[in-house]
Amino acid sequence: IRNYAIGERSEPGSTFKLATALALMETGKVTPDTPVDLNGGQPVKFSDRFIKDSKPHTMFASTFKEAFAESSNIGMAKLAQKVFNQDLNGQAAFRSYLHNIGADLKTNVEIEGEPAPYIKDPVKDQKEWYGTTVPFMAHGYEISMTPLQILNLYNAVANNGRMMRPYLVSKIKSDVKDVKLFEPRVIKEKIASDETIKYAQQLLK
């Protein structure tokens, strides 16, 4: 009865790392070759909480590209902490970059019941904004999106930065003629710079 891919919003976890990667690279402070220490996957403290990778490993000194390929929670959290979590301006910048890449937009697919993504704002959601929020958002927690909204972000990267509205039917026909045609619609013409999109495609490969 319920279409969970469209109507159910939840924490996306590691699938959100692409959004964080886009935001980090859009600042110009992070490239695929930026160094980051993964601590062998062992817990690292952020504010009053610990973040660890899904399993211990032997990676310490690595690059952002390697951290992304490993799907390292520690790597994403450390870089987001350094770039975005030093002050309120940095936190606001993180939220702004996530908006620019379309992470907070509905797809407006023609099926009822799609909720808007919930992406925290350090000013509007001040009571729910903690010392852990940026590093936890960086690997997909303290936020919520639908599976289709996450998929649409990946599709935009594959589509060289153009975010499209998903649609399921190309035309409605009667016995003798087309009654209605459905054309592709652009949600956002460019979610990030050409260089960032190129880097993101390399990371995903």
Side-chain angles (χ1 to χ4, degrees):
I1 295 173
R2 184 172 179 82
N3 190 322
Y4 287 94
I6 291 164
E8 189 73 9
R9 198 175 64 178
S10 62
E11 291 179 313
S14 287
T15 55
F16 193 74
K17 287 171 182 168
L18 175 61
T20 303
L22 291 167
L24 286 168
M25 292 188 293
E26 279 291 86
T27 67
K29 298 176 181 179
V30 174
T31 72
D33 296 322
T34 297
V36 59
D37 183 356
L38 304 187
N39 202 45
Q42 299 294 334
V44 175
K45 192 172 185 180
F46 294 86
S47 188
D48 61 344
R49 302 283 296 277
F50 285 89
I51 292 174
K52 62 181 181 178
D53 285 346
S54 59
K55 60 183 184 298
H57 50 70
T58 59
M59 298 177 69
F60 288 86
S62 68
T63 64
F64 177 48
K65 182 177 182 179
E66 292 167 336
F68 189 88
E70 180 66 24
S71 191
S72 171
N73 301 333
I74 292 170
M76 301 303 292
K78 278 188 171 183
L79 287 170
Q81 179 82 359
K82 180 179 179 180
V83 174
F84 294 124
N85 207 26
Q86 301 307 305
D87 53 33
L88 180 59
N89 288 336
Q91 295 162 2
F94 187 30
R95 180 62 178 82
S96 180
Y97 281 117
L98 293 178
H99 170 72
N100 290 343
I101 67 172
D104 60 354
L105 298 178
K106 293 173 67 171
T107 69
N108 288 317
V109 66
E110 290 182 307
I111 296 177
E112 289 186 5
E114 180 187 15
Y118 172 61
I119 310 290
K120 282 188 181 182
D121 184 288
V123 177
K124 295 177 183 176
D125 303 304
Q126 187 176 7
K127 291 182 179 179
E128 287 80 41
W129 192 276
Y130 315 110
T132 58
T133 294
V134 167
F136 271 79
M137 281 176 64
H139 65 290
Y141 295 91
E142 296 194 29
I143 58 172
S144 57
M145 299 173 72
T146 69
L148 185 63
Q149 288 160 357
I150 281 285
L151 178 61
N152 216 36
L153 179 62
Y154 277 75
N155 185 70
V157 172
N159 201 34
N160 296 320
R162 177 182 283 185
M163 181 175 280
M164 306 299 293
R165 177 182 177 182
Y167 68 109
L168 305 175
V169 176
S170 58
K171 66 174 66 173
I172 297 173
K173 301 180 69 171
S174 69
D175 290 341
V176 294
K177 65 177 181 178
D178 294 342
V179 177
K180 187 175 182 180
L181 299 177
F182 297 87
E183 300 291 342
R185 294 186 185 179
V186 177
I187 296 176
K188 202 170 182 66
E189 189 63 44
K190 202 76 173 174
I191 66 167
S193 69
D194 290 337
E195 183 179 44
T196 292
I197 294 297
K198 181 183 71 175
Y199 281 152
Q201 290 172 346
Q202 291 173 6
L203 294 177
L204 288 167
K205 287 177 183 178

